[in-house]
Amino acid sequence: MTDDESQLTHTDEEGNVRMVDVGSKPDTKRRAVARGTIHLTRSTIDAIRADEVAKGDVLATARIGAIQAVKHTWETIPMCHAIPVTNVDTGFEVHDDRVTLTVGVETTGKTGCEMEALEGVTTGLNVVWDMVKAAEKDADGEYPDTRISDVEVVEKTKRALDP
């Protein structure tokens, strides 16, 4: 095993994948915020704003999808711990050519919640795509203007519990 491999927290001494033992870590209040963007045509953005998308309220559905994804992150990311999510907040910014989704996640526990925030953003944006894909498709059946980009963690904090 190389020196780099011995520094990985998700492998044991033999290089086998494992879940990190966080049992001895103290509980702390944690928050993570992630953000991402879906680029769409102006006509699709106008339909979202006017709530005229055939499948229904795009942003409300995406919000529900984002929250559900946060709550189920441990089921889709192999080494994530199931954490007690204490709060999820979502926010949309609708521009003329894109929708930006921000997801904040809070927990009190032994490990962070940035993976949950990222899962919330990516799922929420996937829901937007699913809701508008018929409107986004061009005559050739392609999606020339539709893309998800700039998914990132923009905040990660932790603080000790009050005594």
Side-chain angles (χ1 to χ4, degrees), residues 14-30:
E14 289 82 39
N16 298 309
V17 176
R18 66 176 178 94
M19 181 180 261
V20 173
D21 181 0
V22 297
S24 63
K25 292 174 71 176
D27 285 342
T28 56
K29 293 185 78 64
R30 297 163 183 266

Side-chain angles (χ1 to χ4, degrees), residues 22-136:
V22 297
S24 63
K25 292 174 71 176
D27 285 342
T28 56
K29 293 185 78 64
R30 297 163 183 266
R31 178 172 170 79
V33 179
R35 180 174 44 225
T37 299
I38 184 167
H39 302 264
L40 303 166
T41 61
R42 177 64 187 261
S43 61
T44 299
I45 293 291
D46 291 343
I48 290 171
R49 284 181 172 145
D51 194 20
E52 294 176 349
V53 174
K55 286 189 171 183
D57 187 330
V58 173
L59 302 183
T61 307
R63 177 173 284 114
I64 293 166
I67 292 167
Q68 283 296 101
V70 166
K71 294 175 5 177
H72 292 276
T73 298
W74 65 275
E75 295 174 316
T76 59
I77 304 295
M79 299 303 156
C80 274
H81 293 85
I83 65 169
V85 174
T86 58
N87 187 45
V88 179
D89 55 79
T90 59
F92 294 94
E93 296 173 29
V94 181
H95 304 274
D96 290 341
D97 61 344
R98 68 195 181 281
V99 174
T100 298
L101 171 58
T102 303
V103 175
V105 179
E106 296 174 15
T107 186
T108 299
K110 300 176 184 310
T111 189
C113 51
E114 66 274 11
M115 294 308 300
E116 286 75 9
L118 287 166
E119 283 287 289
V121 166
T122 55
T123 298
L125 295 174
N126 286 338
V127 170
V128 171
W129 189 315
D130 181 56
M131 297 285 290
V132 303
K133 63 187 173 191
E136 282 290 289

